[in-house]
Amino acid sequence: MKNNGFFSVYALLWLNIVCAGSLLIIFSAVALQNAKKDMNLFDAQIAAIYRTKLRMKEMNRCLLEKEHGSKNNADSQTAEPQNDTNNESDETLCIAEPEQIQYRDVLIRLDYEQECCYIRLNDQQLKIVYDIASLSIIDLE
């Protein structure tokens, strides 16, 4: 009887160690999955910023082409006063259309405006303030 009780306690001790080890493995796997999910969100933020920078270059090129084209038209025509509405319409034509990108498991929606870009990453929202002429990002909110 004494030996049987000793082996029972010994077996229960090993069972406790195995259960604690398995719980540790489960908790670390869940933590790793959460860290991976957060890392995908951070990677998506970086991808959205690079995409915005690329679109800024395209918008800048468009504005330069419109400006160069309007100067050529003004030189060829008689001297007429330029309307500010023409400038504004040229700028709005060069603003990129909204776009939607899937990056891993994060849905990125980019809405471009004249001076900023609104970024939606699943349920998180960011705002990038930029200057198209200098191709620089001024602020990230």
Side-chain angles (χ1 to χ4, degrees), residues 30-122:
V30 168
L32 183 64
Q33 185 66 24
N34 287 340
K36 184 179 177 184
K37 186 177 180 182
D38 290 342
M39 196 54 118
N40 284 345
L41 187 63
F42 294 134
D43 290 346
Q45 288 176 357
I46 293 170
I49 291 170
Y50 276 111
R51 184 65 183 166
T52 302
K53 187 77 171 177
L54 178 68
R55 296 295 253 177
M56 280 173 43
K57 288 179 184 178
E58 292 173 4
M59 288 185 276
N60 187 26
R61 189 176 333 120
C62 176
L63 287 172
L64 289 175
E65 288 173 359
K66 296 280 185 193
E67 183 179 310
H68 184 66
S70 66
K71 283 183 180 178
N72 286 342
N73 288 339
D75 290 343
S76 65
Q77 294 176 351
T78 61
E80 293 181 10
Q82 292 285 335
N83 291 341
D84 286 337
T85 56
N86 287 341
N87 262 350
E88 288 179 19
S89 65
D90 287 346
E91 290 174 354
T92 55
L93 288 176
C94 290
I95 299 300
E97 293 293 320
E99 60 184 332
Q100 192 167 328
I101 304 168
Q102 183 75 27
Y103 182 83
R104 294 185 182 161
D105 62 343
V106 179
L107 181 64
I108 303 170
R109 174 134 173 94
L110 301 158
D111 293 318
Y112 299 98
E113 291 185 4
Q114 184 69 29
E115 297 173 354
C116 64
C117 175
Y118 294 99
I119 301 171
R120 274 196 90 74
L121 304 167
N122 288 341

